[in-house]
């Protein structure tokens, strides 16, 4: 019974329409080099929030620029 319920959930989620991205602006790919101590701090804070360092940095930048 549990397996069938899970399959039904998967089928309904797969058949649903994809959600459009709210921001359709092109993504910018740019490389930056961080100092080792800053990179280590960024990685440790990201790990606490169970995020990758790049996703955590993205959140920080969004907060800073959305003021």
């Amino acid at each position: 019974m549990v397996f069938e319920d899970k399959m039904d959930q998967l089928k309904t989620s797969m058949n649903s329409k994809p959600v459009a991205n709210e921001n359709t602006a092109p993504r910018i790919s740019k490389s930056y080099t961080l100092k080792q101590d800053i990179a280590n701090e960024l990685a440790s804070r990201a790990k606490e929030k169970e995020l990758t360092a790049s996703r955590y940095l993205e959140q920080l930048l969004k907060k800073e620029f959305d003021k």
Side-chain angles (χ1 to χ4, degrees):
M1 188 74 177
V2 174
F3 179 76
E4 288 84 8
D5 292 339
K6 193 66 171 174
M7 284 299 295
D8 289 339
Q9 286 177 344
L10 289 173
K11 285 180 186 176
T12 56
S13 67
M14 290 174 63
N15 290 334
S16 64
K17 295 179 183 176
V19 177
N21 287 340
E22 59 190 48
N23 185 0
T24 57
R27 296 180 66 99
I28 298 172
S29 178
K30 183 77 176 161
S31 295
Y32 295 96
T33 304
L34 300 174
K35 292 183 178 180
Q36 189 66 46
D37 58 333
I38 294 172
N40 291 339
E41 182 66 24
L42 179 69
S44 66
R45 289 185 187 187
K47 188 175 181 180
E48 289 173 7
K49 295 185 180 270
E50 298 179 356
L51 295 170
T52 62
S54 61
R55 289 287 178 219
Y56 181 68
L57 180 58
E58 182 180 30
Q59 287 181 355
L60 291 175
L61 292 171
K62 280 182 180 179
K63 287 178 188 175
E64 180 64 27
F65 288 110
D66 284 343
K67 287 185 176 181

